[in-house]
Amino acid sequence: MTHLPPPAEELRLLDAELGQLDARRAQLLTRRAWLVAALQQTGQPSRPWAHPRTPSAAPPRPETAAPSVQNVLLVLGGVLLTLAAAVFTLVSWGHMGIAGRALVLGAVTVATLAAPVALLKRGLRSTAEAVAGLALALTVLDAYALHAAALAGTDGTGYAAAATAVLAAAWTAYGLLPATSALRLPLPCALAAAQFPLLLGALAADAGPRAVTAALLVTAGLDAVAVVRLPAGAVRVSAVVAAYGAGGWGAVGAGWLSLTADGPVDAARAGALLLLAAAIAVGSARRGPGVGHALGLAITAGLLVVGALGGVARSGLPSQWAVPAHLGVGIALLAAVRAERLPEAMRRGLGWASGAVQGLAVLWTLPVVAVVLLGPAGWLGRVWSGAPSDARAAVVVDVPWPPHAAVAPVVLVAVAAVLALVVRAEPWRSRTRLGALGLLWATALILPAILEIPYVAGLPVLGVLAAAALYACRITASAAQVTALVLALVTAAGLTLASLASQSATLVVLAVLTTLFAAASWRSDVSPFTAPAALVTAAALASASGAAADWSASRTALLVLAVTAAAALLATRLGASRATLPVESVGAAVGLFAVGLAVADPPMLALVLALCGVIAAGTALRAGRRPVGYAATALFVLAAWVRLAAWDVGTPEAYTLPVTVPALLVGALRRRRDPLASSWTAYGPGLAATLLPSLVAAWTDPQWTRPLLLGGAALLVTLLGARHHLRAPLVLGGAVLTLVTLHELAPYVVQVTGALPRWAPPALAGLLLLALGATYEQRIRDVRRVREVLGRMN
């Protein structure tokens, strides 16, 4: 019987055999690689067995599909044959007689036209399409050849119009024949050729731009009829593209004729063309393909009607009423929106067209509104130069008054009435009412300048607008509240700029605006915006009051700083309100402005900085504003430095000690609250602020007083650091004490060095090195012990 080892033993044997096989395989692969390299170096041809076959290698896939190759070949063949025919017709035509020409052209054209029939019977449709394309190109060459040979005296444009008409009819008949109806190329080509007969005929007759535009529109109308009549497919797509192209160019031409019309007759003719284009668009929208096409065509039709009727009305009115005339027609379009007989897409399109006309009319009024709002900014360069005569003179300081501005209120009121009365759909009703409110506000804003009312009467109008907008902020709806708030802020800005022309007007306007914004701040929902606005106007009022009292800028800074103090007190009162942070930010900005006003007067600047530090220190007492204490400290230090500079104090300790003392006090408080805080963080900045500048000054000071005091202070700091096991005082104090000592002993070292022989310093250095080498290990232990002691310190 065969002895079978245990499973564990058998598994071990199998693993050993497999390991041997792997080793042998690796050896053979190494040898094979060496042999292949040797054969390549000797240049001997490789053998089949030198390259093992890879069973998993797949055959290469073709990069191009067979139908694609077929189509490319057919297209290239057709193009080449067409080029050859064109060269024959244009170059070799004159070398043959009339009979030969007719025979060659007729035979080739008839043969080419008949070839697709046989190809379709054999099922070669792609080849038949290529040959049909060549046949159509040959018919074009035949038409050219006929004109060049027999009809050279005729007008080229007129002949082209007739030729394109004949070609369009011939290609249509060829594409509708039962034998060739399967071809897809003849009918689109016939439709493309049909775009030119009317246009070329109008050009040939020198009929003028109106006839050319009419020809384009009639062609577009025929294309629209074809779109309705033809079934879905390539021919219908071609008809749609042709209709859009011809109709677009025709509409553009009719619009240009309407804009450049010299009188009512020309405007009426251009309007008739625009109405024709609109009728084509309406007909296509009602029976054309797709809702998207219907909506776009309805919008286009509405705009064309507005252009036609508005252009006719404009021709009989003064030029300034052109925009209101078009606006009136656009508003009248809304009557068609309620016509139940019209499709929904058309009604929506006409509504969008009316909205577009109204929007363009409102955009036309924007320059007037911009001049009224931004024009008074010119008073910034000529503050209090004198009150102007009227409200228009107050806004046209450096900018011209827009032409035709007198009818801008009519446009704004008309659009506002439409938004408020016509639009009743619930999702849009609230938005349109807000839009109407904004338009009415713009109307009231520009009326004083348009009517040229007196300057003293125009400012109260703007003030009433600002007050009304702030009162409207009581509305609970968020969108309406935001709109009213924006209108109030914009009106207040324009009113402030307009008031800069007169001193009394500036003071009164700023006082009124401060009161209005402060009163509006009682509502918590708008206080994040109105409270900062009140502070800004109060700061402007303080600056204007100081200037009116002939105070210097530095003295006026104290008045401005009172606004910063009021902002800090108001922030304390507000607590966790949303307005707290904006109020504090504006207060800080006003304080920075006060500092800028006092920068030219150092004593006053020191006082302003100190007062800012007091305000910041008071703010830092609040629970969530502790970090403001750092700013307060910095302000106090800056105030002290400015005061010392004003006194012409040049001693560095006078500048550094005001920094060191507060810094050490803050560090001591931090160490008390957090005993684990590092001494470098608590005491390092304060000690370095005084010790390092004093050390630099001591090295350049020829007297003995500063080095002695600095050395004593450094010794005291070192002893305190050693007593309390603090690393920062120990290291800083010891380093400064060492450097001061070296500075004081340097002259004696120089004297001793000069008295010794030149060989003495090297000998001493050698002895020192020998001593250090003898006690190297002990020195290392001492250094480690010192490092550990310093490491245990804080």
Side-chain angles (χ1 to χ4, degrees), residues 279-293:
I280 295 172
V282 170
S284 302
R286 297 192 65 175
R287 299 185 180 182
V291 178
H293 287 273

Side-chain angles (χ1 to χ4, degrees), residues 606-660:
L607 177 59
V608 171
L609 289 173
L611 293 177
C612 289
V614 171
I615 297 173
T619 304
L621 296 177
R622 293 163 49 196
R625 297 295 185 265
R626 301 301 185 193
V628 183
Y630 297 106
T633 303
L635 289 171
F636 284 130
V637 171
L638 287 176
W641 286 358
V642 172
R643 184 71 262 181
L644 292 172
W647 287 336
D648 295 330
V649 175
T651 304
E653 287 78 12
Y655 295 90
T656 57
L657 286 176
V659 179
T660 298

